[in-house]
Amino acid sequence: MNDTQQAILRILAETYPDAKPELNFSNPYETLVAVMLSAQCMDKQVNKVTPAVFRDFPDVASMAAIDADTLYPYVKSCGFKSKSQNIVSACRMIMDKFGGRVPDTMEALTSLPGVGRKTANVVLSTAFGRPAIAVDTHVFRVSNRLGLADADNVLDTEMQLRRVIPERDWSAAHHWLIFHGRRVCAARNPKCGGCPLNGLCKDYNTRKEMPHEPDALSL
Ligand code: SF4
């Protein structure tokens, strides 16, 4: 980690001391379901539907016992029907292969239908307290703009962040970058003028040096 990256992480930590998951859940099963529902859906919307889901299907076994058509009316405001199918199928596999307990390894989690590396990292971090950096659209965009990473895909970004950020801060840094992406460093029209990181940001300072600042950012 160089001095600039160290300073960026310090400012992020100071700016977002309360950064934490915005999804509501209380155990690994609920975490898995909520994170699966959150793909391409706002956390606030997921939080609206999960109370009824967790009330009527409170554990892996009850979710594995229904079919996707039963779940879909509960979650249709969160997107595609395939999410219902994946959640039910994942719970059936957890019953069949993992004794009804949500697994706690990357390999096992990503063997579940509809669970990719990002979802698995969130579950490992928030449900099991493991150090993990889940790279979603905000983490990818913000970390590459800032210069914490220099990658064109999420896997390389995750690996670079794991090298730059101390392991004890991986989970927190994931939330710092999401908060910064949502509140300041939006995909379009980031608020660079008021950004506490603008003196350190690779993207901002590169654009400042250009004769004509581009209208749209590359990430
Ligand atoms: S200076 Fe602009 S591009 Fe850089 S992190 Fe801040 S808001 Fe994002």
Side-chain angles (χ1 to χ4, degrees):
M1 175 167 41
N2 61 36
D3 289 348
T4 300
Q5 291 167 331
Q6 196 167 13
I8 288 170
L9 292 171
R10 180 177 50 75
I11 292 170
L12 283 170
E14 291 170 356
T15 307
Y16 305 110
D18 301 325
K20 60 179 177 21
E22 295 189 300
L23 290 170
N24 296 332
F25 44 73
S26 59
N27 57 48
Y29 159 71
E30 291 185 1
T31 308
L32 178 64
V33 172
V35 177
M36 290 178 79
L37 287 173
S38 71
Q40 298 174 327
C41 179
M42 304 278 282
D43 288 354
K44 282 181 185 166
Q45 184 58 36
V46 175
N47 288 338
K48 285 183 186 170
V49 309
T50 47
V53 174
F54 299 152
R55 179 196 65 213
D56 292 354
F57 314 108
D59 49 28
V60 173
S62 55
M63 185 63 81
I66 62 172
D67 57 29
D69 288 340
T70 304
L71 177 61
Y72 183 58
Y74 289 81
V75 301
K76 64 182 178 185
S77 62
C78 292
F80 306 114
K81 198 167 187 175
S82 58
K83 284 188 186 176
S84 306
Q85 186 62 60
N86 283 334
I87 290 168
V88 169
S89 298
C91 287
R92 288 178 182 165
M93 186 181 284
I94 293 169
M95 292 301 292
D96 291 345
K97 292 195 171 178
F98 302 106
R101 296 172 66 88
V102 175
D104 63 354
T105 67
M106 173 62 72
E107 184 181 9
L109 282 165
T110 53
S111 74
L112 301 173
V115 178
R117 194 172 175 89
K118 185 201 80 175
T119 297
N121 269 322
V122 176
V123 172
L124 288 171
S125 169
T126 56
F128 297 110
R130 304 280 168 73
I133 301 178
V135 179
D136 68 0
T137 183
H138 299 295
V139 174
F140 177 72
R141 181 181 70 253
V142 176
S143 63
N144 279 286
R145 281 179 177 173
L146 282 168
L148 292 174
D150 182 10
D152 61 6
N153 63 76
V154 292
L155 182 59
D156 286 348
T157 298
E158 180 189 332
M159 294 306 152
Q160 291 176 14
L161 290 176
R162 287 163 69 108
R163 286 197 289 274
V164 165
I165 300 170
E167 186 175 305
R168 65 176 182 278
D169 290 332
W170 285 358
S171 296
H174 161 77
H175 296 299
W176 298 336
L177 292 165
I178 289 177
F179 271 46
H180 194 61
R182 286 181 174 156
R183 297 175 184 186
V184 181
C185 190
R188 293 184 183 181
N189 302 321
K191 300 170 188 166
C192 298
C195 176
L197 295 163
N198 61 17
L200 302 166
C201 176
K202 185 185 81 172
D203 192 274
Y204 179 68
N205 288 292
T206 301
R207 281 183 282 123
K208 260 198 342 185
E209 288 165 9
M210 289 178 172
H212 301 290
E213 186 173 316
D215 293 336
L217 299 181
S218 55
L219 290 168

